[in-house]
């Protein structure tokens, strides 16, 4: 990180400031560009997990639906001739 | 820079692994709804006279076993993340659906009702197969 900071630290030249653009800086920019889609997907996935239901809530819902189904089946089977 | 890259890879791996369990759990919940639709469709078809008593009993027995297997999958995924156990119950559910398609549908008299229940079973099968694919990738 210190190396990156040093690379993009403004350098004084002729009274003005400018950034030193080296091959390494360009490589870092390229790396960030390459990683961006993955990063966006990860952030989206994390947001989905944060705003959606928790695993426990989903599990409780699934159990509830399965119990309801089993109750409906038991009721239907009780009406069938033995 | 190397440490940062390792950290990014580790965070990504942990997040993706977490998503796999979460997504499989969501699919197990969807399978519960699909199975409920299958049971209700069978009960309705029987009430309308398209399915005889023996076939209804057979199809509802399949639905009942799928509900138990699906519950086992949910428990395996929410507890200690027992992927092997979850996969075993998913396989059982898929086998039960295949058996119902092979042996249970033939006795449904009406072609339209047969196609309807077949579609419900295929939707349920697709959900279970997708959950299995997520856990085995």
């Amino acid at each position: 990180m210190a190396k990156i900071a040093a690379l993009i630290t403004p350098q004084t030249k002729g009274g003005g400031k400018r950034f030193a653009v080296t091959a390494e800086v360009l490589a870092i920019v390229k790396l960030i560009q390459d990683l961006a889609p993955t990063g966006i997907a990860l952030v989206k996935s994390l947001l989905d997990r944060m705003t959606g239901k928790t695993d426990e809530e989903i599990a409780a819902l699934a159990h509830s639906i399965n119990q309801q189904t089993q109750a409906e089946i038991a009721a239907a089977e009780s009406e069938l001739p033995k | 820079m190397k440490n940062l890259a390792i950290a990014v890879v580790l965070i990504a791996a942990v997040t993706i692994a977490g998503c796999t369990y979460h997504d499989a759990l969501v699919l197990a919940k969807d399978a519960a709804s699909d199975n409920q639709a299958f049971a209700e469709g069978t009960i309705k078809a029987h009430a309308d006279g398209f399915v005889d008593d023996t076939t209804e009993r057979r199809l509802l027995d399949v639905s009942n076993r799928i509900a138990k297997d699906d519950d086992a999958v949910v428990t395996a995924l929410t507890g200690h993340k027992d992927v092997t156990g979850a996969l075993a119950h998913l396989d059982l559910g898929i086998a039960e659906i295949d058996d119902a398609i092979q042996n249970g549908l033939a006795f449904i008299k009406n072609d339209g009702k047969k196609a309807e229940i077949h579609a419900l079973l295929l939707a349920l099968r697709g959900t279970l197969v997708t959950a299995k694919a997520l856990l085995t990738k």
Side-chain angles (χ1 to χ4, degrees), chain B residues 28-42:
Chain B
K29 187 262 293 169
D30 291 344
S33 298
D34 289 346
N35 186 39
Q36 189 176 35
F38 165 54
E40 288 173 355
T42 301

Side-chain angles (χ1 to χ4, degrees), chain A residues 24-36:
Chain A
E24 284 181 59
V25 172
L26 290 174
I28 290 165
V29 171
K30 177 78 171 58
L31 180 68
I32 292 167
Q33 281 180 334
D34 289 346
L35 286 174

Side-chain angles (χ1 to χ4, degrees), chain B residues 15-83:
Chain B
T15 309
I16 289 166
C19 286
T20 300
Y21 290 118
H22 181 78
D23 294 346
L25 193 59
V26 170
L27 285 170
K29 187 262 293 169
D30 291 344
S33 298
D34 289 346
N35 186 39
Q36 189 176 35
F38 165 54
E40 288 173 355
T42 301
I43 292 167
K44 180 78 170 56
H46 175 260
D48 293 344
F50 296 116
V51 171
D52 62 28
D53 291 352
T54 310
T55 306
E56 189 197 27
R57 204 186 294 274
R58 178 181 279 179
L59 292 176
L60 289 183
D61 185 48
V62 169
S63 180
N64 203 16
R65 277 183 280 147
I66 290 168
K68 284 177 186 165
D69 282 328
D70 191 59
D71 255 352
V73 171
V74 170
T75 304
L77 291 176
T78 43
H80 43 283
K81 312 283 192 234
D82 176 15
V83 175

Side-chain angles (χ1 to χ4, degrees), chain A residues 21-62:
Chain A
V21 179
T22 66
E24 284 181 59
V25 172
L26 290 174
I28 290 165
V29 171
K30 177 78 171 58
L31 180 68
I32 292 167
Q33 281 180 334
D34 289 346
L35 286 174
T38 312
I40 290 166
L42 281 175
V43 169
K44 186 181 176 302
S45 164
L46 284 170
L47 280 173
D48 282 349
R49 288 170 66 81
M50 282 159 60
T51 54
K53 288 184 166 59
T54 63
D55 284 3
E56 286 71 25
E57 285 171 330
I58 293 165
L61 188 56

Side-chain angles (χ1 to χ4, degrees), chain A residues 59-79:
Chain A
L61 188 56
H63 282 310
S64 165
I65 296 168
N66 281 325
Q67 280 177 355
Q68 204 180 328
T69 304
Q70 286 174 303
E72 286 173 32
I73 290 169
E77 282 178 337
S78 70
E79 290 174 10

